[in-house]
Amino acid sequence: MANKALEGPWKFMVKEIMKILPHFSNENLIKMTILAEKLTSDEEMKKEARSLRRFFEQGHPSIEMARQIILRLSPRCRDRLIRNFFLNASLVGAYRREETKKDLGYDTPFFLVISPTTRCNLKCPGCYAGEYDQDSELSFELFDRVLGEAEEMGLFFATISGGEPFIHKDLMEIFKQHDQTYFQVYTNGTLIDHKMASGLSKLGNVAPVISIEGFEKETDARRGKGVFRKINQAMDGLKQEGIVFGASITVTRENTELVSSEDLVDYLIDKGAMVIWYFQYIPIGRCPQMELMPTPEQRDALRRRINDLRSRKPIFIGDFWNDGPHVNGCIAGGNRYFHINSNGDVEPCVFTHFAVDNIKQKSLKQALTSDFFRMIRQRQPYRKNLLTPCMIIDAPEVLREVVHKCHAYPTHPGAETIITTIAPDIDRYSEAYHKIADPVWEQEFASKFCAQA
């Protein structure tokens, strides 16, 4: 449990923030960042609070995001976002993670990803989870135990993936039982009807992130006829209920320009989305295809495009591989996060389908201190160029080495192809991207990061 001596100032901060919240103004937003910085002992959190304060002081579009959080969300959803994510996960959790660090011997991850089921009502080509055992599912007892252990360690933020998470019969009960944790749920959105949206609003601690491929033509082409219409209905219901939600986009060679277009981003903002996550396709899962990967040139163009959109649009945008400089490279292997799949295998990340431990036989702490995870963390960042953060596609020799040395097993049939039959293609992609990214790093980033060292 958190240090009792900290409960006084924490409760004071909650009280002060809740007093400020109904009175939206730029001045009050700045006051909240000052309060956050004063209370946390986590240097990363202090840094984030200062960065956010600079945005507010400079009139950044993030001010409009803050206004939406304060004025559009339902009181329950707003309260849970502030208490669970900004206070529990970011502040109170920091103290627990500091205590846990003494046991683990390294900085405790900030969050975890759990895929409680791989069952899905859609059959999308290229799905990264498409080759897992489609009948495997975490029991309520195991799901509950893992989240309980995570909370004790200071992890109050959990991402739920799949399969389609809302197929799991116990999911809503899990959200209810763990009402101090904030959940982000990657979903295809087709099961979020009026009843589901109403239930999520009552809980307040769940933010759905809906997969989308573009507009109707592109989404229905991959996900099935009528899916885009259901997604629209789901977003309308979530917005009406005052729920935080966002969009998840898989970037391929075929759709890079469309999915990063101003039209699509403006459409999602108008629907009420508060976050967009971009995940560039890599050849894992169902029928892996190298030719679907964005070209090195497209990857660099996407980075520049997203940076431009961030400077002008009132929505949080994350680019999973291109944002390496913001998080010091790879965050997998328990550095900042890890993944538990529906069979209980503890994987370094959702795209690295290898494991040495299963949560059915090990505690979270035991799994996080495995030689497999330890070797991954020791090698991070894999290259000084943080624009090339990934051990799957940017430093593939690292993945092969740690899998071999630690005798990690593939967590589904075919997972090993990324380090066997596809390996020469991955090497060629990596070398081609280095030729673009390394000069960019030296010209645009190196001096800044040397100054910070």
Side-chain angles (χ1 to χ4, degrees):
M1 297 298 291
N3 188 328
K4 292 290 184 183
L6 300 172
E7 291 189 5
W10 174 64
K11 289 179 179 178
F12 169 78
M13 182 177 179
V14 173
K15 182 179 178 181
E16 291 301 302
I17 286 179
M18 293 307 169
K19 280 180 3 186
I20 292 173
L21 275 177
H23 309 288
F24 179 84
S25 71
N26 199 21
E27 181 182 352
N28 282 340
L29 292 176
I30 293 170
K31 284 182 181 178
M32 285 192 284
T33 65
I34 293 171
L35 283 170
E37 186 181 354
K38 284 182 176 178
L39 189 61
T40 184
S41 63
D42 188 311
E43 287 304 318
E44 282 298 315
M45 294 299 108
K46 288 181 182 291
K47 181 180 176 183
E48 291 299 324
R50 289 192 292 270
S51 295
L52 193 57
R53 183 158 64 252
R54 283 195 296 273
F55 282 150
F56 292 156
E57 289 170 344
Q58 295 166 2
H60 189 271
S62 56
I63 293 174
E64 175 60 21
M65 284 181 60
R67 189 183 74 83
Q68 291 292 323
I69 289 172
I70 293 171
L71 301 181
R72 183 178 73 76
L73 297 186
S74 71
R76 177 68 175 177
C77 291
R78 186 181 64 206
D79 177 84
R80 291 294 100 182
L81 176 65
I82 298 297
R83 290 178 184 271
N84 290 17
F85 183 76
F86 290 108
L87 299 180
N88 287 356
S90 301
L91 300 178
V92 175
Y95 293 103
R96 292 197 189 184
R97 292 192 296 274
E98 194 62 31
E99 291 298 311
T100 303
K101 179 180 178 180
K102 298 174 184 177
D103 293 333
L104 296 183
Y106 79 98
D107 289 338
T108 310
F110 178 73
F111 73 105
L112 73 160
V113 180
I114 306 180
S115 297
T117 182
T118 45
R119 290 187 296 138
C120 187
N121 57 327
L122 303 180
K123 296 292 182 183
C124 305
C127 175
Y128 83 92
E131 292 302 314
Y132 285 116
D133 178 2
Q134 299 299 293
D135 294 322
S136 64
E137 191 165 276
L138 298 181
S139 67
F140 174 85
E141 292 74 20
L142 185 57
F143 201 172
D144 178 62
R145 192 206 94 197
V146 168
L147 288 171
E149 289 183 18
E151 290 163 353
E152 284 298 312
M153 293 168 60
L155 282 68
F156 288 96
F157 180 52
T159 292
I160 309 299
S161 192
E164 171 47 50
F166 286 108
I167 284 180
H168 197 289
K169 64 181 179 63
D170 297 318
L171 191 64
M172 297 294 278
E173 183 60 26
I174 284 288
F175 296 152
K176 181 179 178 181
Q177 291 294 324
H178 294 270
D179 65 347
Q180 296 302 303
T181 290
Y182 200 78
F183 294 94
Q184 175 182 246
V185 183
Y186 286 106
T187 171
N188 61 44
T190 61
L191 303 181
I192 302 179
D193 55 14
H194 176 74
K195 180 180 179 182
M196 176 70 73
S198 177
L200 293 173
S201 182
K202 289 181 174 67
L203 289 168
N205 62 334
V206 183
V209 177
I210 299 173
S211 297
I212 191 167
E213 311 298 329
F215 294 103
E216 183 171 19
K217 176 185 174 182
E218 297 80 21
T219 299
D220 284 5
R222 184 181 184 217
R223 298 186 170 268
K225 187 173 178 58
V227 169
F228 186 77
R229 176 179 54 80
K230 291 182 179 179
I231 285 174
N232 267 278
Q233 292 173 347
M235 289 183 179
D236 290 342
L238 293 168
K239 183 177 182 180
Q240 183 178 354
E241 292 288 343
I243 298 170
V244 178
F245 73 91
S248 171
I249 298 173
T250 299
V251 183
T252 72
R253 190 169 304 184
E254 299 169 353
N255 71 3
T256 305
E257 288 73 25
L258 171 65
V259 297
S260 60
S261 69
E262 193 145 346
D263 286 346
L264 184 62
V265 172
D266 285 344
Y267 158 77
L268 291 170
I269 292 171
D270 183 62
K271 297 300 288 185
M274 293 183 171
V275 59
I276 305 173
W277 285 108
Y278 287 93
F279 296 94
Q280 297 168 54
Y281 174 84
I282 56 175
I284 57 171
R286 183 177 292 132
C287 303
Q289 301 176 60
M290 283 294 301
E291 58 269 25
L292 281 180
M293 290 185 71
T295 66
E297 292 80 8
Q298 286 177 320
R299 179 172 171 183
D300 186 60
L302 179 71
R303 176 184 66 82
R304 297 177 189 278
R305 178 63 176 157
I306 287 178
N307 284 338
D308 173 61
L309 290 168
R310 281 174 175 153
S311 69
R312 298 185 291 107
K313 302 295 181 180
I315 189 168
F316 175 87
I317 303 177
D319 183 349
F320 199 77
W321 282 272
N322 283 334
D323 280 347
H326 297 294
V327 292
N328 198 37
C330 176
I331 63 173
N335 177 346
R336 293 200 186 186
Y337 99 111
F338 58 98
H339 177 229
I340 297 174
N341 68 26
S342 61
N343 189 50
D345 299 308
V346 186
E347 300 171 336
C349 79
V350 295
F351 303 104
T352 305
H353 298 175
F354 295 91
V356 297
D357 289 318
N358 189 289
I359 205 66
K360 296 172 185 174
Q361 289 87 40
K362 297 284 185 74
S363 69
L364 270 188
K365 284 185 178 180
Q366 289 172 324
L368 287 168
T369 53
S370 71
D371 287 343
F372 185 39
F373 276 24
R374 180 179 54 79
M375 287 183 68
I376 291 171
R377 293 191 298 267
Q378 285 176 342
R379 284 156 177 77
Q380 293 167 337
Y382 313 120
R383 304 182 78 237
K384 70 174 183 178
N385 180 354
L386 300 181
L387 292 171
T388 59
C390 179
M391 68 176 174
I392 306 173
I393 60 173
D394 295 322
E397 69 281 358
V398 174
L399 177 60
R400 295 166 202 160
E401 178 191 8
V402 295
V403 167
H404 174 72
K405 287 188 174 181
C406 298
H407 307 288
Y409 56 86
T411 52
H412 61 73
E416 70 283 355
T417 60
I418 199 76
I419 61 171
T420 56
T421 58
I422 300 179
D425 294 323
I426 294 292
D427 286 342
R428 282 189 287 271
Y429 167 86
S430 177
E431 291 169 8
Y433 184 60
H434 291 176
K435 289 179 181 178
I436 293 175
D438 286 352
V440 171
W441 176 261
E442 291 301 323
Q443 295 165 13
E444 300 181 23
F445 292 88
S447 60
K448 174 185 175 183
F449 278 80
C450 287
Q452 291 176 352

